[in-house]
Amino acid sequence: MENFSRDTTGLEVVETLKDQVAGKTFVITGPSKDSLAAEAAFSLASASSPPAQIILLGRTLSKIQPVIDRITEANASIKTTFVNLDLSNLNTVRNCAAEIAKLTSRVDVLINSAGIMALENFQTSADGFEMQLAACHIGHFLLTGLLLPLLKAAPAARVVTLTSMGYESSDFLFDDYNFSEGKTYNRWLAYGQAKTANVMFTTELARRASAQGLDLKAYVVHPGVILSSGIMKELDMESLMKALEETKAEYAKQGIEYVPETPKSIEQGCATMLVASLANELSSHNGAFLRDSQIFAEEEQKPWVKDAEKARKLWELSEGWVGEKFL
């Protein structure tokens, strides 16, 4: 895909694909300072053919205002707006979607980037779901569904959702997704389940959109290991090392040597998100999983994220959780 690689930066992507940036409206979740989403927004704003509008969704304006200021400094012509969003509270998701509908008549690209990682203690959302599942998947599921009319109004709209190779640590636990209300909670299994849900959601969204003949594409992205991102800064080194050892042990049981990923800079980390958001070559690969700015080979993916029946089951379960049907 073009000449993009794991070393490509977000700025390089948007300048190469600037014609796909020009005049579009981007909606991005989780763009707090030092986040991948913030870096992606800044890269878009720096394109020589800039977007018309960037709508930034997050819980706290004070954490996002520096990002807005940086975008304005890069290009003051871009309409940049903050809308409050707490993905762990479905009422605020609904309010957020309603506010976005007041700001724009279409959404060209929705980037579902927000999330939390490996909470040490079991916590539940305002609606009673394990917090990582709520923030990474359920909130984004509802937001995407509510924004479908605006996505349908755009030619060739895209939904880009972040996952992680952490998905490899757990299939979706249909029989106990809430970890027996915390009694069986494992922070890394919970994180893995949430990231698996991101992949399944994407493949099912792509399938349903294609089945209805919609000009809507969905892609899921592993951005890489970015130690300087906000989500990683919240983890202590002891926890990371423990997770690494547990992962090595699990791979060893399967007779596989585990080789940790080489970390990326935050500028490199946002590149794959932007490739998924912009590259024309992806149009014939609806539902693709991207890694290192290229399509991640299906044969290298874990079997559970390739199971169409599980993806359908999760979609229907998610509709029940939010009390609405989409597509």
Side-chain angles (χ1 to χ4, degrees), residues 278-317:
L278 303 169
N280 277 331
E281 295 166 72
L282 288 172
S283 296
S284 58
H285 299 279
N286 201 6
F289 190 153
L290 276 72
R291 181 181 185 185
D292 293 335
S293 298
Q294 299 290 327
I295 294 174
F296 181 30
E298 192 170 319
E299 60 269 22
E300 295 180 29
Q301 299 172 27
K302 293 294 184 183
W304 54 81
V305 293
K306 297 182 284 187
D307 189 320
E309 177 58 26
K310 285 185 176 182
R312 181 198 61 78
K313 183 177 178 181
L314 177 62
W315 184 282
E316 293 177 353
L317 185 61

Side-chain angles (χ1 to χ4, degrees), residues 57-170:
L57 313 183
R59 289 181 297 177
T60 311
L61 175 57
S62 62
K63 292 184 178 180
I64 296 175
Q65 188 61 52
V67 180
I68 295 174
D69 294 341
R70 192 178 178 199
I71 290 171
T72 302
E73 184 180 342
N75 191 326
S77 72
I78 300 169
K79 183 180 178 183
T80 307
T81 312
F82 166 80
V83 178
N84 180 260
L85 171 66
D86 180 352
L87 288 161
S88 68
N89 185 319
L90 297 180
N91 282 336
T92 74
V93 176
R94 293 186 174 91
N95 292 339
C96 175
E99 286 300 311
I100 294 169
K102 295 175 184 176
L103 294 170
T104 182
S105 60
R106 78 182 206 197
V107 172
D108 294 280
V109 182
L110 168 62
I111 302 179
N112 293 321
S113 178
I116 51 178
M117 180 179 182
L119 294 176
E120 184 174 0
N121 298 310
F122 179 76
Q123 299 178 40
T124 54
S125 69
D127 306 281
F129 302 105
E130 189 279 317
M131 188 63 82
Q132 292 177 82
L133 179 61
C136 295
H137 168 63
I138 301 173
H140 279 130
F141 176 86
L142 178 59
L143 178 68
T144 303
L146 294 174
L147 293 181
L148 279 172
L150 298 180
L151 289 160
K152 291 177 184 178
R158 296 192 178 194
V159 176
V160 177
T161 301
L162 263 65
T163 185
S164 159
M165 293 310 291
Y167 91 88
E168 293 185 328
S169 67
S170 182

Side-chain angles (χ1 to χ4, degrees), residues 8-253:
T8 299
T9 66
L11 288 171
E12 290 169 339
V13 172
V14 298
E15 201 48 44
T16 302
L17 304 176
K18 59 188 176 185
D19 291 344
Q20 302 307 314
V21 178
K24 289 185 175 179
T25 293
F26 292 80
V27 174
I28 307 175
T29 73
S32 297
K33 187 175 178 290
D34 296 328
S35 68
L36 286 167
E39 189 62 33
F42 174 67
S43 296
L44 289 166
S46 301
S48 57
S49 299
Q53 186 171 15
I54 300 176
I55 302 173
L56 303 175
L57 313 183
R59 289 181 297 177
T60 311
L61 175 57
S62 62
K63 292 184 178 180
I64 296 175
Q65 188 61 52
V67 180
I68 295 174
D69 294 341
R70 192 178 178 199
I71 290 171
T72 302
E73 184 180 342
N75 191 326
S77 72
I78 300 169
K79 183 180 178 183
T80 307
T81 312
F82 166 80
V83 178
N84 180 260
L85 171 66
D86 180 352
L87 288 161
S88 68
N89 185 319
L90 297 180
N91 282 336
T92 74
V93 176
R94 293 186 174 91
N95 292 339
C96 175
E99 286 300 311
I100 294 169
K102 295 175 184 176
L103 294 170
T104 182
S105 60
R106 78 182 206 197
V107 172
D108 294 280
V109 182
L110 168 62
I111 302 179
N112 293 321
S113 178
I116 51 178
M117 180 179 182
L119 294 176
E120 184 174 0
N121 298 310
F122 179 76
Q123 299 178 40
T124 54
S125 69
D127 306 281
F129 302 105
E130 189 279 317
M131 188 63 82
Q132 292 177 82
L133 179 61
C136 295
H137 168 63
I138 301 173
H140 279 130
F141 176 86
L142 178 59
L143 178 68
T144 303
L146 294 174
L147 293 181
L148 279 172
L150 298 180
L151 289 160
K152 291 177 184 178
R158 296 192 178 194
V159 176
V160 177
T161 301
L162 263 65
T163 185
S164 159
M165 293 310 291
Y167 91 88
E168 293 185 328
S169 67
S170 182
D171 193 347
F172 194 86
L173 307 174
F174 287 101
D175 295 329
D176 191 19
Y177 54 80
N178 240 30
F179 294 90
S180 300
E181 301 307 314
K183 294 175 185 174
T184 59
Y185 180 70
N186 176 295
R187 65 197 295 190
W188 295 106
L189 289 182
Y191 180 65
Q193 171 178 247
K195 295 292 100 180
T196 283
N198 292 144
V199 185
M200 290 180 174
F201 159 69
T202 297
T203 55
E204 184 64 5
L205 174 59
R207 187 193 69 77
R208 288 173 181 252
S210 295
Q212 293 192 22
L214 299 178
D215 193 8
L216 171 65
K217 309 299 183 186
Y219 305 105
V220 66
V221 168
H222 167 58
V225 175
I226 297 87
L227 299 177
S228 58
S229 70
I231 195 170
M232 292 293 284
K233 286 180 177 179
E234 294 175 7
L235 285 173
D236 60 87
M237 189 54 65
E238 183 180 347
S239 295
L240 286 172
M241 293 307 296
K242 182 180 179 182
L244 180 61
E245 292 305 316
E246 290 172 353
T247 303
K248 284 181 178 179
E250 189 59 38
Y251 273 68
K253 288 179 187 176

